[in-house]
């Protein structure tokens, strides 16, 4: 996998095309594994896409007593293996982003796995392939670095100071995330 996911939250227009595409993905059992959230519903209609951040040291995998959540060689955190998942839901409580969901009827956890069947062959995940505003992109590392540099320059010109929030330190470098 030579490409990475790149998110620009402020580009999201709230159309939810990413969610519809996720439901249509082959092995997702017609369940969306990404979400569109409101920044502050009382203040504005601004939305942002939310999917698994593919953490370097994923809390969901760390807290799983059955070792059901596997991490690929490329660093993609997969959904819990149905054969191993015991339904304890520790992963849903452990994730700082609230991404893993639990299906009580099927008694299994599901989450975004970057459409691993596609992304391992450098084909864009379903959400990135349909996003009309380019809030979600599947791009080369060099392109991501270029976008980050341009973004930093724009922030300096506009007088914005970078801020750090604790939960973002878990996001790996290959997953470019930006928001204002």
């Amino acid at each position: 996998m030579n490409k990475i996911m790149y998110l620009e939250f402020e580009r999201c227009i709230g159309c939810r095309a990413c969610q519809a595409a996720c439901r249509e993905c082959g092995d997702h059992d017609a369940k969306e594994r990404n979400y569109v959230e409101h920044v502050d519903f009382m203040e504005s209609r601004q939305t942002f896409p939310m999917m698994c951040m593919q953490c370097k040291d994923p809390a969901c995998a760390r807290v799983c007593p059955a070792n059901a959540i596997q991490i690929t060689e490329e660093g993609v955190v997969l959904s819990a293996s149905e054969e191993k998942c015991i339904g304890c839901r520790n992963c849903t409580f452990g994730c700082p982003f609230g991404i893993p969901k639990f299906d009580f009827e099927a008694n299994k956890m599901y989450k975004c796995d970057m459409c691993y069947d596609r992304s391992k062959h450098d084909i864009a995940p379903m959400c990135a392939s349909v996003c009309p505003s380019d809030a979600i992109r599947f791009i080369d590392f060099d392109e991501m670095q270029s976008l980050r540099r341009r973004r930093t320059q724009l922030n300096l010109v506009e007088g914005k100071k970078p801020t750090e929030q604790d939960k973002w330190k878990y996001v790996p470098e290959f997953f470019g995330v930006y928001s204002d």
Side-chain angles (χ1 to χ4, degrees):
M1 189 164 72
N2 297 320
K3 295 191 175 196
I4 53 126
M5 291 291 282
Y6 184 79
L7 303 177
E8 284 190 273
F9 290 155
E10 72 278 357
R11 287 176 154 248
C12 181
I13 58 173
C15 68
R16 291 178 167 69
C18 55
Q19 288 180 294
C22 188
R23 279 192 302 272
E24 297 300 318
C25 193
D27 64 344
H28 288 184
D29 302 323
K31 291 188 183 329
E32 56 208 33
R33 296 173 182 215
N34 59 5
Y35 313 98
V36 175
E37 304 285 347
H38 288 275
V39 174
D40 184 352
F41 190 74
M42 300 305 279
E43 292 291 321
S44 78
R45 302 295 293 154
Q46 178 63 48
T47 55
F48 63 94
M50 200 63 202
M51 60 210 42
C52 181
M53 294 292 139
Q54 308 299 329
C55 300
K56 291 183 243 183
D57 183 21
C60 61
R62 270 198 334 266
V63 300
C64 180
N67 199 25
I69 301 171
Q70 299 299 307
I71 304 165
T72 68
E73 291 176 13
E74 298 90 353
V76 176
V77 183
L78 301 174
S79 282
S81 164
E82 288 185 46
E83 296 81 32
K84 290 183 176 182
C85 183
I86 59 174
C88 68
R89 298 189 328 233
N90 283 357
C91 55
T92 62
F93 303 121
C95 175
F97 300 99
I99 297 300
K101 301 298 179 210
F102 191 78
D103 183 343
F104 287 96
E105 290 178 19
N107 197 37
K108 69 176 184 178
M109 177 278 268
Y110 60 95
K111 62 173 248 355
C112 168
D113 58 7
M114 282 181 51
C115 295
Y116 187 65
D117 56 328
R118 295 169 56 93
S119 61
K120 71 181 174 187
H121 299 294
D122 282 343
I123 301 170
M126 294 295 284
C127 57
S129 69
V130 300
C131 183
S133 65
D134 280 340
I136 306 169
R137 291 186 251 180
F138 194 61
I139 59 176
D140 294 311
F141 185 80
D142 292 336
E143 187 179 351
M144 187 265 298
Q145 292 292 70
S146 171
L147 287 168
R148 279 183 159 186
R149 277 191 291 279
R150 191 170 342 131
R151 184 66 178 236
T152 302
Q153 291 166 349
L154 285 174
N155 284 346
L156 290 173
V157 168
E158 294 173 8
K160 296 179 182 172
K161 295 180 182 175
T163 60
E164 275 298 316
Q165 294 179 352
D166 275 351
K167 67 183 180 181
W168 296 109
K169 72 181 178 188
Y170 298 106
V171 178
E173 177 127 334
F174 75 78
F175 205 101
V177 178
Y178 277 102
S179 73
D180 280 336

